[in-house]
Each structure stands twice: as C-alpha cells, then as structure tokens.
Amino acid sequence: SKMTHNEDRKGWMKEGAIGLTVGVLYGTTSVMVGHPLDTIKTKMQAQKGFENTSMFRTLVTTVRTQGVIGLYRGCVPPLWGSGIYRSTQFAVFEAAYTYCDQYPLLKKEIPGTFGLQPRVLLAGVCGST
C-alpha cells in the first residue's frame, strides 16, 4: 500500500499552525499518560521504603498515602518541555512538507520504497533537528 499524506494542503504556514496544535496535544498527552509510570519507577529505584516492592504495591501505596495527585508530582516541567518540543517538531515538519509541494521533483516516489517521497525525508530532517 502507498503512503498517504496527499490531501489538499492549504499553505505551509497554516499547515505549520495545525502541526503546532497537534504537537502540543501529543506532547502533553504523552506526559499525562507516562508520568505516573515514571513516578512509580523512580520511587522503586530511589525512594526509601520502595526498594523491594512491586510496581503494583508502589502504585497502591502512593495513591493511598498521597492520592492520585502523588502520581503527578513534578509533572509541570516535563509537561511544558514535551509540549513545546513536540509542537515545534510537528509544526516544522508540516511547514516543510507543504512548502515542498511547489517542487514536483520532491513529490516523485523513490523507487522501491512503497511510495516514499523525497519531501517526506526532507521534512523529516527539518523537523528532527
């Protein structure tokens, strides 16, 4: 099957703005889902009294003594950092990808890659740096 990302693009700035919004959502969601697991892991590794307990026991003890909020202690810096990082990454990728629409050579498929186009690679490099 071919890769699809060929819908009508509205302009590189608009696509970049959409990417910015999606990136913020992705960045903050990943922290909200992952931070409790990271908190439990950190407690098991470094906090006295949790060295020899299971992940489930650490979870139960934390929620019982600190409430659910205990699982999210210290989440603000990663929340901001991940939101900013991912939004920038997504916005730059979308803007670069859409900007490449004006160059037909960048829209040609690379042989043997099941539809991969040079603009995807170029936008990926721009978004990852």
Side-chain angles (χ1 to χ4, degrees), residues 16-30:
I18 292 169
L20 194 70
T21 304
V22 172
V24 167
L25 293 173
Y26 169 63
T28 55
T29 302
S30 67

Side-chain angles (χ1 to χ4, degrees), residues 7-16 18 94 98 101:
E7 71 277 356
D8 187 28
R9 314 290 284 176
K10 303 296 182 197
W12 69 271
M13 286 187 73
K14 181 176 182 184
E15 294 299 328
I18 292 169
E94 288 298 333
T98 304
D101 274 351

Side-chain angles (χ1 to χ4, degrees), residues 7 9 16 32 35 70 80 113:
E7 71 277 356
R9 314 290 284 176
M32 296 309 292
H35 195 77
W80 276 97
T113 62

Side-chain angles (χ1 to χ4, degrees), residues 96-97 99-109 116-120 122:
Y97 183 89
Y99 184 78
C100 290
D101 274 351
Q102 61 189 313
Y103 301 103
L105 185 62
L106 295 176
K107 294 168 80 173
K108 293 193 181 287
E109 295 179 4
L116 183 63
Q117 300 171 351
R119 66 182 174 167
V120 174
L122 183 62

Side-chain angles (χ1 to χ4, degrees), residues 26-119:
Y26 169 63
T28 55
T29 302
S30 67
V31 171
M32 296 309 292
V33 171
H35 195 77
L37 298 172
D38 195 41
T39 298
I40 291 168
K41 174 195 64 110
T42 302
K43 282 179 175 287
M44 292 173 67
Q45 289 175 336
Q47 190 170 337
K48 187 172 167 86
F50 290 98
E51 310 95 325
N52 297 315
T53 60
S54 70
M55 187 173 169
F56 183 74
R57 175 59 45 209
T58 302
L59 171 68
V60 169
T61 303
T62 302
V63 171
R64 206 175 273 154
T65 58
Q66 301 173 8
V68 174
I69 197 80
L71 297 173
Y72 289 95
R73 290 199 192 282
C75 76
V76 173
L79 195 62
W80 276 97
S82 186
I84 291 167
Y85 176 74
R86 295 297 179 196
S87 64
T88 303
Q89 193 177 41
F90 277 46
V92 170
F93 175 87
E94 288 298 333
Y97 183 89
T98 304
Y99 184 78
C100 290
D101 274 351
Q102 61 189 313
Y103 301 103
L105 185 62
L106 295 176
K107 294 168 80 173
K108 293 193 181 287
E109 295 179 4
I110 300 169
T113 62
F114 301 101
L116 183 63
Q117 300 171 351
R119 66 182 174 167

